[in-house]
């Protein structure tokens, strides 16, 4: 876990246990992300970016940054499965209005039902739920290849650290622009870049099933996880400010999900 200390952006400082965000550093880091995207696009000879739009803050921020790099060649893709909630649809419309754009819509309901029905005795709730992000990943890559574009992932530092993403689903992307930002930093920067407040202030949800929220599923808050990540070099502060139960849950999630962050395992070479 020590390596994560070097990777944090240091936009966040804590005063009396409260997170304070540095606007100047935040905007400077946004420029770093833009330069990164430009460089990688040029390196890949790509003409643009494709972003899956969920109505959540992470995809909204990635879209906001990417569209400032390639205003005419950043494609937002909305991929409903079964049915999106009224509020999610409203938030997507808010984002389109804020950035004067219209996203592509690809309804994956029939594909989801077909695949689910084709697999015998499939009754594991999480296995079924994870079909959704994997179908969306496949869709994004089809569109990206058609447009000679790169797929941008939307995982942030919190999600990366605890493995809160679907392997070969939303974890499948060419670039991860906001993977060095904590959830709090994502919210702060999103508000600076004009992401609608309706999105900035909504409860985070992976949309895996109706009523699902990230924090309920995880058993701890992003605020606690942000604090943990920003104090990996000060374990006494973690012990003082977070409960033992929360610390254990975070550490266990990190350990369990290591395979998601590692390259695909292979046997050693033939000697």
């Amino acid at each position: 876990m020590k390596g994560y200390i070097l990777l944090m952006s240091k936009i966040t400082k804590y005063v009396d246990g409260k997170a304070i965000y540095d606007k100047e550093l935040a905007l400077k880091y946004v420029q770093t992300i833009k330069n990164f995207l430009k460089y990688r696009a040029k390196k890949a000879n790509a003409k643009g970016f494709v972003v899956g739009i969920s109505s959540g803050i992470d995809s909204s921020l990635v879209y906001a940054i990417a569209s400032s790099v390639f205003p005419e060649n950043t494609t937002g893709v909305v991929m409903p499965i079964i049915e999106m909630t009224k509020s999610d649809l409203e938030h997507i419309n808010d984002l389109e209005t804020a950035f004067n754009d219209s996203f592509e819509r690809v309804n994956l309901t029939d594909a989801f039902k077909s695949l689910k029905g084709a697999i015998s005795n499939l009754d594991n709730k999480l296995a079924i739920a994870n079909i959704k992000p994997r179908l969306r990943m496949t869709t994004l890559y089809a569109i990206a290849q058609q447009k000679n574009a790169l797929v941008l992932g939307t995982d942030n530092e919190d999600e990366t650290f605890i493995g809160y993403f679907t392997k070969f689903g939303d974890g499948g992307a060419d670039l991860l622009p906001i993977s060095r930002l904590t959830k709090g930093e994502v919210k702060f920067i999103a508000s600076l870049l004009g992401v609608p407040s309706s999105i900035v202030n909504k409860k985070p949800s992976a949309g895996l099933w109706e009523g699902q929220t990230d924090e309920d599923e995880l058993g701890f808050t992003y605020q606690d996880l942000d604090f943990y990540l920003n104090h990996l070099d000060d374990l006494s502060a973690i012990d003082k400010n977070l409960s033992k139960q929360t610390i254990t849950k975070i550490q266990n999630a990190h350990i369990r999900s290591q395979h998601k962050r590692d390259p695909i395992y292979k046997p050693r070479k033939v000697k």
Side-chain angles (χ1 to χ4, degrees), residues 145-161:
Q145 189 164 10
Q146 177 71 21
K147 294 177 177 289
N148 187 23
L150 296 176
V151 174
L152 302 186
T154 62
D155 299 328
N156 57 53
E157 178 76 9
D158 294 47
E159 292 166 337
T160 301
F161 187 83

Side-chain angles (χ1 to χ4, degrees), residues 112-154:
F112 170 73
K113 289 181 177 179
S114 178
L115 181 55
K116 178 184 172 185
I119 302 173
S120 301
N121 303 317
L122 183 63
D123 58 5
N124 182 288
K125 184 178 181 180
L126 191 56
I128 293 170
N130 278 328
I131 292 174
K132 297 177 182 180
R134 289 177 177 134
L135 280 175
R136 291 179 176 127
M137 179 274 292
T138 302
T139 303
L140 292 176
Y141 269 98
I143 293 171
Q145 189 164 10
Q146 177 71 21
K147 294 177 177 289
N148 187 23
L150 296 176
V151 174
L152 302 186
T154 62

Side-chain angles (χ1 to χ4, degrees), residues 33-49 70 150 152 174-176:
I33 296 174
K34 290 181 182 181
N35 293 340
F36 163 76
L37 292 176
K38 290 176 185 176
Y39 172 77
R40 285 298 168 186
K42 183 177 180 180
K43 193 87 171 173
N45 197 28
K47 295 181 179 179
F49 303 120
F70 284 138
L150 296 176
L152 302 186
D174 294 311
L175 306 173
L176 294 172

Side-chain angles (χ1 to χ4, degrees), residues 4 7 53 79 109 125 138 175 200 227 231:
Y4 273 80
L7 300 179
I53 304 296
M79 296 164 284
T109 299
K125 184 178 181 180
T138 302
L175 306 173
V200 173
F227 187 91
H231 291 86

